[in-house]
Amino acid sequence: MGGDVPSTFGSASSSSRSNGQTDKQVERLPMPSRNPLPLSASQEAQVRDIFYARVRRQCAEEIKAFAECALGRTFSVPFACRAPHRVMNNCMKLHATPAEQDAAREDWFALRMERARERERKARRKAEQEAFLREWWGLPEKDREEARRELEKLNQKERVGGYVGNNRLRDANEAAAKKSKLLEQARLERDGIDRDLHT
């Protein structure tokens, strides 16, 4: 991830989405680090989808020309559309660079707030639908503990770079306490030996 990569698509103020949201103002966060952060498999898949969309956007004319050539053909596509296919592949190879992948990763990080709002909206909609169905069918309400856990899960931030698990943190704290206790014992023993030598 050498230097700064200029973003050619998706300026800081607009984003083009496939779900009908176009030219909408979105809040973009800066990249947390210039070093690659480890992402989960699903997060890497999201980055890959952004990367593929960026490459397809840059080669849209070539892809359209190949699609028009292939329209209505079956077995003859490899022969009749060889030239448009090569042009399309060359364009995609030209634009599918590590720099473009880095730019896609930056876009993914920049749109964290939008993803969090979307996740929250879906969770609230799900809760509303579940409450409606429980009322409709006369089912008992959810117990408060389960509702509280779902609310906590909803308020959690997206994991980027991983967190230390609670048991690992507890083990680390126990190990640190044990180490300090051993050091204290060693110091006391040493002080006891030093006193014996001076008397």
Side-chain angles (χ1 to χ4, degrees), residues 16 23 26 51 54 71 98 101 114 118 129 152 155 181:
S16 180
D23 295 332
V26 292
F51 170 64
R54 290 173 66 95
L71 188 66
Q101 205 164 12
E114 182 182 353
E118 182 68 19
Q129 289 175 344
E152 283 178 2
N155 290 332
K181 186 177 179 181

Side-chain angles (χ1 to χ4, degrees), residues 40-191:
S40 69
S42 63
Q43 292 169 336
E44 284 293 346
Q46 292 171 358
V47 170
R48 227 177 2 260
D49 290 344
I50 293 171
F51 170 64
Y52 293 154
R54 290 173 66 95
V55 171
R56 282 193 303 267
R57 204 176 311 135
Q58 290 177 337
C59 298
E61 294 174 11
E62 291 83 356
I63 293 171
K64 186 175 181 182
F66 174 71
E68 288 172 356
C69 176
L71 188 66
R73 299 176 196 243
T74 54
F75 296 111
S76 63
V77 169
F79 309 108
C81 303
R82 183 170 287 151
H85 184 257
R86 284 189 177 154
V87 169
M88 178 185 73
N89 275 352
N90 287 338
C91 176
M92 293 180 114
K93 286 179 186 175
L94 180 69
H95 292 293
T97 61
E100 193 67 33
Q101 205 164 12
D102 292 344
R105 182 178 286 264
E106 288 179 10
D107 277 357
W108 185 87
F109 276 106
L111 297 174
R112 283 176 290 175
M113 295 299 292
E114 182 182 353
R115 281 194 308 277
R117 281 192 295 269
E118 182 68 19
R119 196 171 53 245
E120 182 180 337
R121 187 188 64 76
K122 285 181 181 178
R124 293 205 189 286
R125 178 75 175 139
K126 178 184 170 190
E128 289 171 2
Q129 289 175 344
E130 188 175 335
F132 172 76
L133 288 175
R134 284 181 179 277
E135 181 183 338
W136 179 265
W137 292 104
L139 299 174
E141 288 187 24
K142 271 189 183 177
D143 63 335
R144 293 185 185 272
E145 183 62 27
E146 187 178 344
R148 185 188 60 76
R149 279 194 306 262
E150 284 186 8
L151 186 62
E152 283 178 2
K153 187 176 180 183
L154 178 63
N155 290 332
Q156 285 181 347
K157 293 184 178 180
E158 186 174 30
R159 292 180 65 174
V160 175
Y163 297 126
V164 177
N166 288 339
N167 59 345
R168 290 183 187 168
L169 189 59
R170 185 178 60 243
D171 293 346
N173 289 341
E174 288 174 2
K178 191 174 183 180
K179 184 178 179 182
S180 66
K181 186 177 179 181
L182 288 173
L183 288 172
E184 181 66 24
Q185 286 177 350
R187 188 183 62 77
L188 289 174
E189 287 176 7
R190 188 192 69 220
D191 288 347

